[in-house]
Every structure is written in structure tokens, then in C-alpha cells.
């Protein structure tokens, strides 16, 4: 029976499908842990493949490659150094022909002495929000503890900690330390929620707990890390940073009949605004880098959305990898031209100016015979001409993108996209949208915050990066004379509160109206939300921030006649 154990928490940033690269990442972590005298290295859920794998895990050759890498890593442990607990897929029936639904398991592997000593499969499979693990994985049985060098470890995989049944089973069968490997993506208030759940499991079982989470961006998800350890008295001896790779070796010792974790690194939690901003930065950085884009390009309009997008891009990639374009029309104000130029200067990014007026004139001449022939008599300019402007800008950005190889960033926010205040193939064009899950009021809050703070790991300049006038002036698409967003939409604080009720809360019109909103306005916003579903289906991916982001979190039919009670 061991009385001491040094355990390394390896908070890694794997790349989906880069099994060789992820293997190298784990080998590096093990080498660093060995140099610090670790006995065991604990990494995150499905770290050998990246997570979530979605249907990629149904490919037999993918599973074969993953298992080959796990076996190679297991052989490394024959050197007498630290063992490992890592996440990967386990194929129940290697001879089965695809599809392998229910034959693959999300698994924690224990590696020691040159071999895979045992494994534990995930019991509770999340099947909500962005997760549909029951589609591709089988649910494992309730697990018993594993014996690692004389210590009985209760190994759980992510969702297994969110409910008491797995930890209760492990405690009853003799586990001494709970070890949870995770791929838990960031959402606002999620870090606190995880901690509360971990405290519940520790309180229920009387056992200490290790929580190791993945870090990094994977498509729309951003994993924040923030790994930690809890003692049986619910004390927090270890708290690793959010949004950074980290390795921490901590000494555990047996005291009487209980294990106690020694003091390790404790990083104070960031504010909510800083967490959100850092999620945007890491999500964009990893999307661009892991997909091998040399940089990004975006339209810098002189408005707050494009300015904040540019600031995030500069902090994620550095000014030299961000290219901006001002695309004025006859309706673009002098203030917007000045504000865009000042923002580019403050951020240190290149900015080009391409007037879209010639394109507007060309489209007008080209379409006049058709539009005049079919439009009602006396029908003047309307959203048709406004959308032509937005699409001219989209065409311009895509043309420059094709030449430079830079990915176009879309800059629309959640408030606008919710109600369809965006143009398909125009301002919605792009490969990625960092602002996609940000309500407009949060955009303003983040812009003010960034002017006062430089987040950890940012590659942009300190100090003010967004001109104050961009934040204080009334928002406008500037697609017609004297246009303001509030000509078409309620004030953003009102709109955002209604939208949160409809989207995150799935609240009825009556419930939202009872909070003081005009019932007719709530109905109008709801109808706009539902009618814009077809646009959102064609929107580019973007960083998930809220509990209910558009996409996999919220799957509504496009053809939908439901409008509530008459």
C-alpha cells in the first residue's frame, strides 16, 4: 500500500484528428512530469484524438490509428517513469463492419509498466446542447476503482461527475481518490458550476478529487482548462489557469485513512468579461492556426462590431496577420471613415479602402431592366438596394481573401442574427465569426473592457484600441441616409432581454411580457427570430459563449408555422 504519490495534471490543447501530434504532446507532458518526479500523469478526455470527435469516431481506420498511438504511449511507460491516465476511444468489436454505433466507447486508459493495464468507459453520456454522444458512443457500466501502484483511483470521464451515481459506486467499491478527465467547453458561469458539482461529489463521498480539463478551440467550442484538485475537506489546493496549457505536479500523501493533496499552483479566477474575451481570442486563434490559415481579413466599418472583431483578431494572431478593409458607400459618414482609420492605427493593422459605389452603380444598371419591369409602379429604393451594398462588400472581401489566402471574418452579433438584421452573402459572409454568440449589449461591454485591460496571452497592444466614438455613437448599418439600428429594432437592452428569454430561457410571450415588455413587441421579436432561421442555417461557425448558441445548441425547423396561441 502506497503512502505517497506525485500526480501531474496535464492541461493540454490537442488538435482534432492529429493523432501523431497529440501523441507528441502527451509525450512532452510526460517528460516534463518525469523531470519533476511525477508517478502519474493525468490528461483530458479523448486527448489522443481531440474532442468532440463527432462521426469521425465511426471510421475504423481512425480508431485503429488512435489505438496504435495509445499502445505506443503505453510502451513508453516501460522506462520506469510515470504512468498515465488518458482519454481515447475504445472499440468493443474490432471486427465489426461500419457503422459502429454503440460499439465504440469514450474511454479512460490507464498506462503503466509498458502496457495498457486497464480502462474505464464513460457511463453517463451527454445528449443535450452541443453533445449527442449517444449517437456514436455506447454507455459503459458503472465502474469500479483501478489499482495504480497501490492506490485505488476512482476514474470518471467528464459527465460521470455531473451526477452522483458513478462517484457513489466508486466510493462504495473502495476508491481512495476520484480522478475526472474532462472535455468540458466554456460557457459563461460554467467554471463555477463545475466547481459546485465537484464539491457535491466530494461532500457525498468524502473523497478528494482531481479534475483535468482540455484547453483549446475546436470549431465552435472553446475548452477553458481551469483544472483543479479538491481535498476531502473541500479545500482547493490546486487551481490551474483558464485558456492556457499547463502542467502541475502535486504531492499526495496518505494521512490515517485519507489522501491529502499538497499545495500547488493557485491561479485567481478572471472576471466574467475577461473570461469571455479570452474565450473569443483562443477560439479564433485555434480555428485559424489549426486550419492553417496565414491570417484573417475583415471589413472595418467604423462600427463597434467590426472594431471588437478586429481587436480580438489582433490579440489572437498579432497585427501582422490581420488585414482590414474600409468599404465606403455614398451613405458612409465621415465619422465612420475617421473611426475605422483610427481603430486600425491603434491596433497596428493594415487597412485598405475600396469604394463600393462603382459596384452599386454597375448593379443598378445591370438590374434596372428586370427590376423596373417587375416592381410595382412607384416602388423606390428598399432593402433590395441596401442588400446590394452589403453583398458588394462581401464580394470584395472574398476576392481579397482568394488572392491573399486570408480567411474572411464575419462580424455580426447574436442580437442582429437572431432577428435577421443581417444580409445573406453580404455582412454574413465569412469563414468564422468570433461575435456570433455575443448579444449587442455584451459587445459594448467587451469593447469598454478591452480599452482598459490587456488579457493574458494577447498579442495586441496595451491601452485603448477602440476609439471612444465607436462605442458611444448610435449603431447604424449606414445603408441609407441617416439610418440607425433603432429605426428597425428596439433599443438593444430591450431587444437582448427579450431574446435571452426566447432563446436561452425558452420563455413564453406571457412570461417575458410580465417582466415589463410590451406584449406586441415581444411577439414581433419572436416572429422575427423564427423567420430568420433560414439565414442562421447558412451562417459561418463562431465561438460558443452562452448556454444556447445558434447551431447545435438550438435546432429549430426552418419550415415552422407555429406562432403560439391565437
Amino acid at each position: 500500500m502506497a503512502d505517497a504519490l506525485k500526480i501531474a495534471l496535464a492541461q493540454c490543447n490537442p488538435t482534432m484528428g492529429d493523432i501523431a501530434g497529440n501523441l507528441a504532446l502527451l509525450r512532452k507532458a510526460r517528460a516534463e512530469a518525469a523531470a519533476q518526479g511525477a508517478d502519474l500523469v493525468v490528461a483530458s478526455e479523448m486527448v489522443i484524438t481531440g474532442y468532440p470527435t463527432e462521426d469521425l469516431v465511426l471510421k475504423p481506420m481512425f480508431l485503429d490509428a488512435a489505438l496504435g498511438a495509445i499502445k505506443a504511449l503505453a510502451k513508453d511507460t516501460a522506462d520506469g517513469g510515470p504512468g498515465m491516465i488518458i482519454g481515447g476511444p475504445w472499440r468493443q468489436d474490432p471486427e465489426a463492419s461500419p457503422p459502429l454505433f454503440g460499439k465504440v466507447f469514450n474511454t479512460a486508459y490507464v498506462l503503466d509498466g509498458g502496457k495498457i493495464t486497464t480502462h474505464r468507459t464513460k457511463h453517463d453520456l451527454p445528449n443535450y446542447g452541443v453533445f449527442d454522444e449517444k449517437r456514436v458512443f455506447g454507455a459503459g457500466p458503472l465502474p469500479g476503482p483501478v489499482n495504480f501502484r497501490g492506490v485505488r483511483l476512482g476514474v470518471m470521464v467528464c459527465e460521470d461527475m455531473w451526477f452522483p451515481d458513478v462517484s457513489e459506486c466508486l466510493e462504495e467499491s473502495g476508491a481512495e481518490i476520484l480522478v475526472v478527465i474532462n472535455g468540458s467547453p466554456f460557457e459563461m458561469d460554467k467554471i463555477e458550476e463545475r466547481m459546485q458539482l465537484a464539491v457535491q461529489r466530494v461532500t457525498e463521498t468524502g473523497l478528494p478529487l482531481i479534475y483535468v480539463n482540455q484547453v483549446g478551440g475546436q470549431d465552435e467550442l472553446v475548452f477553458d482548462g481551469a483544472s483543479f484538485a479538491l481535498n476531502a475537506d473541500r479545500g482547493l489546493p490546486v487551481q490551474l489557469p483558464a485558456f492556457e496549457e499547463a502542467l502541475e505536479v502535486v504531492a499526495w500523501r496518505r494521512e490515517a485513512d485519507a489522501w491529502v493533496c499538497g499545495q500547488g499552483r493557485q491561479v485567481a479566477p478572471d472576471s466574467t468579461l475577461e473570461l469571455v474575451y479570452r474565450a473569443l481570442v483562443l477560439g479564433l486563434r485555434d480555428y485559424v492556426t489549426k486550419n492553417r490559415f496565414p491570417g484573417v481579413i475583415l471589413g472595418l466599418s467604423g462600427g463597434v462590431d467590426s472594431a471588437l472583431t478586429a481587436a480580438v483578431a489582433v490579440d489572437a494572431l498579432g497585427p501582422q496577420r490581420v488585414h482590414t478593409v474600409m468599404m465606403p458607400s455614398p451613405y458612409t459618414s465621415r465619422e465612420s471613415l475617421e473611426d475605422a482609420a483610427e481603430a486600425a492605427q491603434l491596433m497596428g493593422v493594415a487597412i485598405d479602402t475600396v469604394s463600393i459605389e462603382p459596384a452599386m452603380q454597375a448593379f443598378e444598371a445591370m438590374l434596372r431592366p428586370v427590376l423596373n419591369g417587375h416592381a410595382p409602379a412607384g416602388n423606390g429604393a428598399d432593402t433590395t438596394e441596401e442588400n446590394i451594398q452589403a453583398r458588394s462588400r462581401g464580394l470584395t472581401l472574398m476576392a481579397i481573401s482568394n488572392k491573399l489566402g486570408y480567411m474572411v471574418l464575419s462580424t455580426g452579433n447574436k442580437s442582429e442574427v437572431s432577428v435577421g438584421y443581417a444580409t445573406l452573402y453580404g455582412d454574413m459572409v465569412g469563414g468564422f465569426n468570433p461575435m456570433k454568440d455575443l448579444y449587442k449589449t455584451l459587445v459594448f461591454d467587451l469593447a469598454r473592457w478591452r480599452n482598459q485591460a490587456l488579457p493574458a496571452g494577447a498579442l495586441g497592444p496595451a491601452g485603448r484600441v477602440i476609439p471612444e466614438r465607436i462605442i458611444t455613437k448610435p449603431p447604424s448599418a449606414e445603408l441609407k441616409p441617416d439610418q440607425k439600428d433603432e429605426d428597425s429594432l428596439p433599443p438593444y437592452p430591450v431587444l437582448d432581454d427579450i431574446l435571452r428569454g426566447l432563446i436561452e430561457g425558452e420563455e413564453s410571450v406571457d412570461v417575458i411580457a410580465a417582466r415589463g415588455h410590451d406584449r406586441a413587441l415581444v411577439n414581433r421579436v419572436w416572429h422575427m427570430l423564427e423567420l430568420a432561421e433560414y439565414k442562421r442555417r447558412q451562417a459561418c461557425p463562431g465561438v460558443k459563449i452562452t448556454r444556447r448558441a445558434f447551431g447545435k445548441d438550438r435546432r429549430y425547423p426552418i419550415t415552422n408555422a407555429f406562432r403560439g396561441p391565437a
Side-chain angles (χ1 to χ4, degrees), residues 214-550:
Q214 176 177 316
V215 69
Q218 171 56 35
D219 293 348
E220 296 196 301
L221 302 182
V222 181
F223 297 88
D224 52 283
S227 305
F228 59 88
L230 286 171
N231 274 316
D233 63 0
R234 299 181 294 281
L236 183 69
V238 179
Q239 175 64 72
L240 297 189
F243 304 112
E244 300 174 20
E245 290 188 283
L247 182 92
E248 184 74 4
V249 177
V250 289
W252 288 74
R253 65 187 184 280
R254 189 191 298 272
E255 294 184 357
D257 293 327
W259 281 88
V260 177
C261 178
Q263 197 64 35
R265 185 168 18 159
Q266 287 188 319
V267 179
D270 297 326
S271 68
T272 298
L273 287 179
E274 183 164 6
L275 287 171
V276 170
Y277 192 89
R278 294 185 69 191
L280 301 177
V281 168
L282 182 56
L284 177 58
R285 178 183 293 154
D286 276 5
Y287 193 86
V288 171
T289 303
K290 291 179 179 181
N291 287 295
R292 300 182 178 88
F293 287 102
V296 296
I297 183 170
L298 69 147
L300 199 57
S301 67
V304 69
D305 295 318
S306 64
L308 183 63
T309 302
V312 168
V314 168
D315 286 337
L317 306 170
Q320 70 282 359
R321 297 179 67 190
V322 179
H323 195 96
T324 65
V325 186
M326 178 59 175
M327 296 169 285
S329 79
Y331 308 118
T332 302
S333 67
R334 176 181 55 81
E335 288 81 3
S336 291
L337 292 169
E338 294 171 352
D339 292 343
E342 184 183 356
Q345 181 181 25
L346 290 170
M347 296 179 205
V349 298
I351 183 167
D352 288 323
T353 300
V354 178
S355 172
I356 63 166
E357 186 170 5
M360 293 167 61
Q361 294 170 348
F363 276 115
E364 181 183 358
M366 181 175 70
L367 293 171
R368 186 181 299 117
V370 175
L371 297 185
N372 286 354
H374 294 283
N379 188 19
D382 54 21
T383 55
T384 305
E385 286 74 19
E386 293 181 26
N387 288 337
I388 284 173
Q389 294 174 60
R391 289 174 181 138
S392 296
R393 291 185 172 115
L395 179 64
T396 300
L397 289 173
M398 289 306 301
I400 299 172
S401 170
N402 291 158
K403 285 294 182 183
L404 297 181
Y406 280 24
M407 182 182 71
V408 174
L409 294 183
S410 177
T411 62
N413 61 70
K414 188 172 186 176
S415 305
E416 295 170 351
V417 173
S418 294
V419 295
Y421 196 64
T423 303
L424 272 177
Y425 327 120
D427 54 317
M428 292 181 69
V429 76
F432 197 75
N433 180 4
M435 306 293 110
K436 183 177 180 180
D437 202 26
L438 300 183
Y439 288 109
K440 187 77 169 191
T441 47
L442 184 54
V443 170
F444 282 113
D445 289 343
L446 288 171
R448 295 185 189 97
W449 178 86
R450 177 58 182 87
N451 274 349
Q452 300 170 6
L454 182 67
L459 302 178
R464 185 166 58 93
V465 293
I466 299 175
E468 187 63 23
R469 188 166 61 184
I470 284 181
I471 300 173
T472 58
K473 67 185 178 184
S476 170
E478 293 192 326
L479 298 174
K480 61 183 179 181
D482 301 318
Q483 185 180 31
K484 300 291 184 291
D485 288 4
E486 289 189 12
D487 297 339
S488 304
L489 302 174
Y492 281 113
V494 174
L495 177 62
D496 288 355
D497 187 65
I498 294 173
L499 288 172
R500 288 189 186 97
L502 292 169
I503 298 168
E504 278 81 20
E506 289 287 5
E507 295 173 346
S508 69
V509 172
D510 289 339
V511 168
I512 298 171
R515 289 206 299 271
H517 294 295
D518 178 75
R519 182 182 178 86
L521 177 61
V522 177
N523 263 313
R524 176 177 164 236
V525 171
W526 177 33
H527 294 165
M528 293 167 74
L529 173 69
E530 299 305 301
L531 289 172
E533 183 63 34
Y534 80 100
K535 290 187 178 182
R536 292 189 293 271
R537 289 286 184 94
Q538 300 178 67
C540 61
V543 178
K544 171 180 164 62
I545 294 298
T546 68
R547 185 57 58 97
R548 202 88 188 279
F550 290 127

Side-chain angles (χ1 to χ4, degrees), residues 30 38-42 77 80-85 110-113 148-149:
R30 182 174 182 269
D39 301 300
L40 174 65
V41 179
V42 181
T77 64
M84 302 192 78
I85 296 177
V110 183
L111 317 177
D112 198 26
F148 180 82
R149 300 186 185 181

Side-chain angles (χ1 to χ4, degrees), residues 161 178 193-203 207 209 211 228 230 234:
M161 191 193 77
L178 299 177
E193 182 180 10
R194 289 190 208 117
M195 184 64 71
Q196 290 173 349
L197 288 166
V199 167
Q200 288 178 28
R201 302 293 87 85
V202 169
T203 301
L207 298 176
L209 180 147
Y211 183 101
F228 59 88
L230 286 171
R234 299 181 294 281

